[in-house]
């Protein structure tokens, strides 16, 4: 009986965390709205305890605000907050790439990165409208995860993982903006060329080059956000952008 409860608890907690994140970033709530634990629990079909824990976790991550009188509210973000988060991600991922280069990666890590990039190459053979976004998103996330792990630094890994929980700061967060642009396919080709250059620098043990390339790569997300915030058509299509105000 105890074993069953223990097995079930993480699932409930993760469902609460993922479910609330999905609601926040899909525009279900407006900035400043008070988050009702009973309503969220009913919507997610789980108890209030994991909902309460998930909201506390999201407050620590900076996604929601604690209300002095109790409870939590949807946080809004100034554009500079997101731009700063993207910039910081570039710094952290750049450091991860440099450490991977300086400390060296294993043949297995190298092979895994090459395989992911080969998958992205295959996806990018399709034209703009025929391109399958799901495998690209999966492979892009996998490559960034491999770089993070290759740093062999639990501190760097933890800080990157925490940072990308903020809206629009992760490596895949603003791909939806690129889909709306005529130059979408070209921007993915540019990102892929940067992936390959980062891996090459790591394998050649060129730490400074790997760091600079990774930092430059993160700036693609900055450009995407700036485009989105100045295009009413894109903002109308992606409700999560309402979280970015000002």
């Amino acid at each position: 009986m105890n074993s069953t409860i223990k097995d079930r608890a993480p699932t409930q907690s993760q469902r609460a965390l993922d479910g609330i994140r999905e609601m926040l970033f899909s525009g279900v709530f407006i900035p400043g709205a008070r988050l009702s634990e009973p309503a969220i629990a009913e919507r997610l079909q789980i108890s209030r305890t994991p909902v309460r824990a998930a909201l506390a976790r999201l407050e620590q991550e900076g996604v929601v605000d604690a209300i002095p009188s109790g409870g939590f509210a949807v946080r809004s973000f100034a554009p500079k907050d997101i731009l700063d988060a993207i910039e910081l991600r570039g710094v952290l991922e750049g450091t991860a790439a440099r450490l991977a280069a300086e400390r060296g990666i294993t043949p297995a890590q190298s092979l895994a990165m090459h395989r992911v990039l080969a998958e992205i190459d295959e996806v990018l053979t399709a034209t703009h409208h025929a391109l399958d976004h799901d495998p690209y998103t999966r492979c892009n996330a996998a490559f960034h995860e491999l770089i993070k792990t290759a740093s062999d630094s639990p501190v760097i890994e933890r800080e990157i993982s925490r940072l990308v929980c903020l809206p629009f700061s992760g490596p895949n967060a603003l791909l939806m903006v690129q889909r709306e642009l005529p130059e979408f396919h070209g921007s993915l080709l540019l990102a892929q060329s940067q992936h390959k250059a980062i891996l090459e620098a790591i394998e050649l043990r060129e730490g400074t080059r790997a760091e600079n390339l990774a930092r430059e790569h993160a700036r693609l997300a900055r450009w995407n956000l700036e485009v989105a915030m100045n295009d009413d058509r894109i903002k109308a299509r992606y409700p999560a952008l309402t979280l970015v105000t000002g």
Side-chain angles (χ1 to χ4, degrees), residues 31-48:
R34 190 183 185 104
L35 295 166
S36 166
E37 289 179 14
I40 292 173
E42 182 177 356
R43 184 178 182 125
L44 298 178
Q45 292 297 291
I46 56 178
S47 67
R48 291 178 59 177

Side-chain angles (χ1 to χ4, degrees), residues 174-181 224-225 227-228 234 238 241:
L174 287 156
L175 287 178
M176 79 286 190
V177 173
Q178 289 175 285
R179 297 176 195 177
E180 304 294 331
L181 306 174
N224 288 337
L225 179 65
V227 168
I234 293 176
Y238 297 102
L241 289 168

Side-chain angles (χ1 to χ4, degrees), residues 48-117:
R48 291 178 59 177
T49 300
V51 169
R52 188 178 303 112
L55 288 170
R57 167 80 176 272
L58 291 168
E59 192 270 333
Q60 291 175 349
E61 293 177 357
V63 178
V64 301
D65 286 326
I67 300 172
S69 59
F72 300 90
V74 180
R75 183 181 174 189
S76 62
F77 298 86
K80 72 177 183 64
D81 294 334
I82 305 302
L83 294 176
D84 288 349
I86 293 170
E87 187 71 20
L88 184 54
R89 175 168 66 84
V91 171
L92 290 172
E93 290 186 334
T95 302
R98 176 174 58 78
L99 291 175
E102 292 174 350
R103 294 171 177 175
I105 59 175
T106 66
Q109 288 174 320
S110 176
L111 180 60
M113 291 183 200
H114 279 287
R115 282 177 172 169
V116 168
L117 295 187

Side-chain angles (χ1 to χ4, degrees), residues 4 23 51 65 89 100 112 121-122 133 144-145 151 157-158 167 174 186-187 196 224 230 233-234 242:
T4 303
M23 287 190 285
V51 169
D65 286 326
R89 175 168 66 84
D121 280 337
E122 180 65 25
H133 302 114
H144 283 260
E145 188 70 20
S151 70
E157 290 187 57
R158 182 178 64 248
L174 287 156
S187 69
K196 292 178 179 179
N224 288 337
N230 288 289
R233 180 175 58 90
I234 293 176
T242 60

Side-chain angles (χ1 to χ4, degrees), residues 116-239:
V116 168
L117 295 187
E119 288 187 58
I120 293 178
D121 280 337
E122 180 65 25
V123 172
L124 293 179
T125 59
T127 59
H128 181 170
H129 296 292
L131 192 146
D132 192 341
H133 302 114
D134 290 340
Y136 180 86
T137 300
R138 173 178 54 78
C139 290
N140 186 52
F143 182 75
H144 283 260
E145 188 70 20
L146 286 166
I147 296 294
K148 181 178 72 173
T149 303
S151 70
D152 192 27
S153 171
V155 173
I156 294 294
E157 290 187 57
R158 182 178 64 248
E159 293 307 311
I160 293 175
S161 296
R162 185 172 67 168
L163 184 67
V164 299
C165 289
L166 293 175
F168 314 116
S169 60
N172 280 330
L174 287 156
L175 287 178
M176 79 286 190
V177 173
Q178 289 175 285
R179 297 176 195 177
E180 304 294 331
L181 306 174
E183 58 269 36
F184 168 65
H185 197 270
S187 69
L188 294 187
L189 292 173
L190 171 60
Q192 175 69 340
S193 70
Q194 291 176 334
H195 289 154
K196 292 178 179 179
I198 292 168
L199 177 54
E200 178 187 66
I202 289 173
E203 291 180 323
L204 292 175
R205 309 291 292 269
E206 297 173 348
T208 300
R209 177 170 170 243
E211 180 173 19
N212 290 335
L213 286 166
R215 292 186 67 164
E216 185 64 29
H217 180 60
R219 291 196 175 104
L220 284 176
R222 181 188 182 98
W223 178 79
N224 288 337
L225 179 65
E226 290 171 340
V227 168
M229 295 310 297
N230 288 289
D231 191 317
D232 290 337
R233 180 175 58 90
I234 293 176
K235 286 194 286 187
R237 283 177 59 86
Y238 297 102

